[in-house]
Amino acid sequence: MPAAAKKKTTAGQLLAAAVGAVPGGATRPGQQAMVEAIEKSIKDREHLLVQAGTGTGKSLGYLTPALLVDGPVVVSTATLALQNQLVEHDLPRLAEAVQPVLGRKPTFAVLKGRHHYLCVAKLEHADEEGPTDTLFDAAPAPKAGQWLGEAGRLGKQIQRVRAWSEKTQTGDRDELDPGVDDTAWRQVSMPARDCVGAGRCPYGAECFAEASRTRAREADIVVTNHSLLAVDMLAGRQIVPPHKLLVVDEAHELADRVSSAAQAELTPEALERAGRRARTLIPQAAAEQLAEAADALTVGLADVPAGRLTDGLPEALRRAVTTLELATRSGLSAIGEIKADDADPVGKQQAKAVLDELSGTAQRLLEENAYDVAWVEKSDMGHGRRALVVAPLSVAGTLSESLYKDRTVVVTSATLTLGGRFDTVARSLGLPAAADGASSGDGWTSLDVGSPFDYPKQGILYVAAHLPRPAASGLPDAAAAELLRLVEALGGRTLGLFSSRKAATQAAELLRAKTDLPILLQGEETLPILVRKFKEDRASCLFGVMSLWQGVDVPGDACQLVVIDRLPFPRPDEPLAAARSAAVDASGGSGFSAVSVPIAAVRLAQGVGRLIRSTGDKGVVAVLDSRLETARGYGSFLRKSLPPFWYTTRPDVAEGALRRLAQT
């Protein structure tokens, strides 16, 4: 970007051009405040936390100052929906609008994980293979007969990919329309850990993934996702192009994505697949040890109950993991280095990656250090998935060391203040703690730009304080009766957010038995279809669990009542939350206050945020958990984490408001 152009142009001018290009567009006060704060943050090289409520227009709030930064600016999102909004709508419109001001058209690029792109090397041999047999596949490899039965269908999909490969400029799976299923895509894509690298691959010059990285290095704005950003941090910042400014949108989800990226697991199926993948490259003794480890892991997982391993690995699991570590060490030594003139460098790299991943996980489990948490995971089905899992107790240290070094970081979300303060989220993101009452800490500052919504006039927060404290799982009778009264008062238009599938199902069965309203239940159809039906039918109700708490955007009068059955604290059997809580307790603090309450605050704020999505929306949020009113300490903390709705605990007030809405 020409230096002279940057000196003559301000982010405020770019913002004015962007909003002026929209009919009836106008700069919003919160948006303007965000632009100014980010400009100052960039100038002072100080990290910034910005809470920007729904309707603020925060995308333009951070994109316009980003255009004045040297080199690429990286924007990371948690959801595919926001990534698509930026790439397909916000950035193209912004580029057109600011071109007259900048004197050039800004460029942007999308950066995804390697497995999102077509691999020419894999495609070359795809027709010759059965379903790909890798450690990273989510499901066990199909049996031979199943493969033969599906060969025709898979073959047709791969032929379509082959035809598409001759036309596509990006190789991005999202551009393949109609798409192919995951089994077919695994035949033509390459996980990052299996890749030999462009320099050693005979198809390196044609690599779509490498081309995407080249485009990213040359763009003004690079849009990526939290999962890839997390992998980049854990890999030593080698994937995302060098940059001076990082914008983390939907930042309340970043720590969880980093934790997921740092999590590893062992399953018997993974060990068996590794043995098949590496059998021609490792000594027979190592292959036999892998098979022995898989059998031992099967037995160990069957004998150990699901849950956190608080006293180290049980002996049966320790034997299995030790055998695995010996086998992988022997196998890796036999495979050696990957060379360009190897007969099959791609196959050799895939085998090495599988064994290396297993070896690292085994060593991590055997160390039993104070920084990791291990647990046994089992599906609800008796013969379903069983795994030995390990994850970091905290990622705050990783974030502190890797997220902020050599770049300015702007963190933004509609949910950054918990209990009315930024410090809880700041600590979870690896930033130094703020002094009591302060809005900033060493090297960072914060800003809440508010929301354009008039929450006290647009919505009511009703807490059913008269209900008994929830105890057993499911939907208590008193809460069910309260739900029925509220829904009948409005006549539908209800989004029900439940703490368990059991509670959601009970609510759906009750409403179907007692009313004639159309009741939509998560799991009975795909979520996009359910949301579409909910939007189209004002009499309908949509009930579901955690994925609905963030994934539903229904502005207008189709959603005027949001019901939350209980405060969304983590379950006692959630291993990571339980371990983190226990660690705080052991250090003399309150694990419940430090871990469970902040988790509930974020989840609750996201759920409550489903009600008001535009300036014309009106409605009621009903929380059927009396603890939000009656609990000393954390009740008020949770309420301060929510938008400032008009507050009441009177059932007649809530029902009266709903009846008036029903007449509109």
Side-chain angles (χ1 to χ4, degrees):
M1 187 180 297
K6 282 182 251 183
K7 290 180 181 178
K8 294 179 182 178
T9 307
T10 67
Q13 290 174 306
L14 297 182
L15 179 62
V19 298
V22 179
T27 302
R28 304 164 195 177
Q31 195 177 53
Q32 183 65 50
M34 187 174 181
V35 168
E36 293 170 359
I38 293 175
E39 274 193 306
K40 184 177 186 302
S41 173
I42 295 169
K43 179 183 176 183
D44 297 344
R45 297 183 180 180
E46 187 174 53
H47 308 304
L48 174 67
L49 278 65
V50 183
Q51 177 161 284
T54 304
T56 302
K58 70 177 184 295
S59 297
L60 285 182
Y62 58 69
L63 289 174
T64 46
L67 290 175
L68 300 177
V69 174
D70 284 325
V73 170
V74 175
V75 177
S76 182
T77 73
T79 61
L80 184 61
L82 179 55
Q83 187 178 74
N84 288 341
Q85 176 188 315
L86 290 172
V87 173
E88 297 175 10
H89 301 287
D90 295 352
L91 281 166
R93 293 174 181 173
L94 176 63
E96 292 286 348
V98 303
Q99 183 175 4
V101 181
L102 279 178
R104 65 180 191 87
K105 189 173 182 179
T107 58
F108 56 91
V110 184
L111 188 61
K112 303 178 182 179
R114 190 171 290 271
H115 64 284
H116 282 281
Y117 298 96
L118 175 67
C119 174
V120 181
K122 286 291 290 291
L123 180 64
E124 190 68 19
H125 303 287
D127 291 341
E128 304 167 13
E129 299 179 359
T132 303
D133 199 13
T134 78
L135 172 66
F136 310 108
D137 290 351
K143 297 176 182 178
Q146 182 181 349
W147 163 241
L148 291 173
E150 296 181 351
R153 180 179 60 83
L154 283 172
K156 289 179 181 178
Q157 292 189 73
I158 291 170
Q159 287 174 8
R160 186 149 48 80
V161 173
R162 192 179 297 281
W164 171 70
S165 72
E166 297 174 357
K167 298 179 291 184
T168 179
Q169 298 296 309
T170 67
D172 187 337
R173 182 183 182 180
D174 291 338
E175 296 181 9
L176 176 59
D177 186 20
V180 296
D181 62 29
D182 289 344
T183 301
W185 187 254
R186 281 196 292 268
Q187 304 303 299
V188 298
S189 62
M190 183 75 74
R193 280 168 280 198
D194 288 6
C195 180
V196 298
R200 288 179 290 191
C201 178
Y203 301 93
E206 306 169 56
C207 181
F208 288 112
E210 290 298 321
S212 73
R213 281 148 178 74
T214 299
R215 288 192 296 272
R217 287 192 294 270
E218 298 171 350
D220 294 302
I221 306 288
V222 179
V223 180
T224 189
N225 57 76
H226 291 356
S227 296
L228 187 60
L229 183 67
V231 171
D232 183 54
M233 285 190 285
L234 296 172
R237 307 253 296 259
Q238 299 175 1
I239 303 170
V240 177
H243 54 280
K244 297 178 181 178
L245 176 65
L246 168 66
V247 178
V248 182
D249 202 343
E250 301 176 312
H252 60 279
E253 295 209 34
L254 180 61
D256 283 344
R257 300 301 173 90
V258 176
S259 184
S260 294
Q263 180 174 307
E265 67 178 33
L266 298 177
T267 68
E269 295 80 13
L271 271 60
E272 291 167 0
R273 292 198 296 271
R276 291 194 295 269
R277 170 60 60 84
R279 63 180 176 266
T280 62
L281 297 166
I282 63 176
Q284 183 176 350
E288 291 173 353
Q289 278 185 314
L290 273 174
E292 180 185 340
D295 291 341
L297 186 62
T298 300
V299 173
L301 289 172
D303 292 342
V304 177
R308 186 162 58 103
L309 302 175
T310 55
D311 298 317
L313 290 177
E315 187 56 33
L317 290 178
R318 177 175 293 280
R319 284 197 302 270
V321 176
T322 301
T323 302
L324 172 64
E325 199 277 328
L326 292 171
T328 53
R329 193 192 318 162
S330 174
L332 288 167
S333 177
I335 290 174
E337 294 300 315
I338 312 298
K339 301 175 183 178
D341 59 355
D342 282 332
D344 181 11
V346 174
K348 193 174 178 180
Q349 173 63 31
Q350 290 173 334
K352 184 176 182 180
V354 166
L355 296 180
D356 192 52
E357 176 79 2
L358 290 175
S359 179
T361 303
Q363 292 174 29
R364 190 172 166 188
L365 284 161
L366 291 171
E367 284 175 4
E368 295 183 353
N369 59 58
Y371 310 106
D372 277 330
V373 182
W375 69 90
V376 170
E377 194 172 281
K378 297 183 180 182
S379 66
D380 295 334
M381 305 297 292
H383 300 287
R385 164 186 157 80
R386 295 179 178 183
L388 177 58
V389 189
V390 60
L393 181 64
S394 171
V395 296
T398 299
L399 288 165
S400 179
E401 294 172 6
S402 304
L403 183 61
Y404 305 100
K405 186 178 180 181
D406 299 327
R407 60 186 173 192
T408 300
V409 180
V410 173
V411 170
T412 185
S413 169
T415 314
L416 286 184
T417 60
L418 302 181
R421 296 180 54 176
F422 284 91
D423 55 345
T424 300
V425 170
R427 285 196 304 271
S428 74
L429 293 175
L431 289 168
D436 286 346
S439 61
S440 62
D442 184 18
W444 65 274
T445 188
S446 64
L447 173 69
D448 185 350
V449 301
S451 168
F453 303 150
D454 190 344
Y455 282 108
K457 291 185 178 179
Q458 289 185 250
I460 294 173
L461 173 60
Y462 162 57
V463 177
H466 62 285
L467 294 180
R469 182 188 180 102
S473 64
L475 188 66
D477 290 342
E482 187 80 10
L483 170 68
L484 179 61
R485 284 194 295 272
L486 293 170
V487 173
E488 286 183 326
L490 183 59
R493 312 184 205 177
T494 302
L495 176 65
L497 305 177
F498 294 88
S499 55
S500 67
R501 192 163 298 279
K502 178 181 178 182
T505 301
Q506 288 176 317
E509 290 173 349
L510 171 70
L511 269 294
R512 285 169 176 168
K514 298 290 187 179
T515 75
D516 294 324
L517 300 172
I519 306 299
L520 307 169
L521 179 61
Q522 187 178 5
E524 293 183 346
E525 293 184 84
T526 65
L527 189 56
I529 291 175
L530 289 172
V531 173
R532 177 176 55 79
K533 289 183 176 181
F534 182 50
K535 288 180 178 180
E536 293 173 351
D537 188 347
R538 294 175 73 218
S540 67
C541 300
L542 173 58
F543 294 164
V545 290
M546 195 53 65
S547 57
L548 287 185
W549 291 59
Q550 297 188 60
V552 176
D553 186 11
V554 184
D557 59 6
C559 179
Q560 294 188 307
L561 171 62
V562 173
V563 178
I564 295 172
D565 70 324
R566 66 175 65 198
L567 299 179
F569 292 112
R571 300 190 315 270
D573 61 351
E574 288 186 26
L576 269 178
R580 290 165 180 168
S581 183
V584 175
D585 288 339
S587 66
S590 167
F592 178 75
S593 298
V595 178
S596 297
V597 172
I599 290 174
V602 172
R603 292 175 178 175
L604 187 63
Q606 289 292 313
V608 167
R610 299 308 96 199
L611 181 68
I612 305 299
R613 308 302 295 174
S614 69
T615 54
D617 289 351
K618 293 183 178 180
V620 174
V621 174
V623 179
L624 309 184
D625 189 331
S626 57
R627 292 175 294 177
L628 189 58
E629 164 65 19
T630 61
R632 289 179 130 187
Y634 73 79
S636 61
F637 179 90
L638 293 176
R639 292 198 304 275
K640 288 178 182 177
S641 303
L642 304 178
F645 292 108
W646 194 83
Y647 181 72
T648 185
T649 59
R650 291 176 52 186
D652 60 315
V653 171
E655 289 180 37
L658 292 171
R659 289 194 185 94
R660 289 190 294 274
L661 284 173
Q663 303 304 313
T664 61

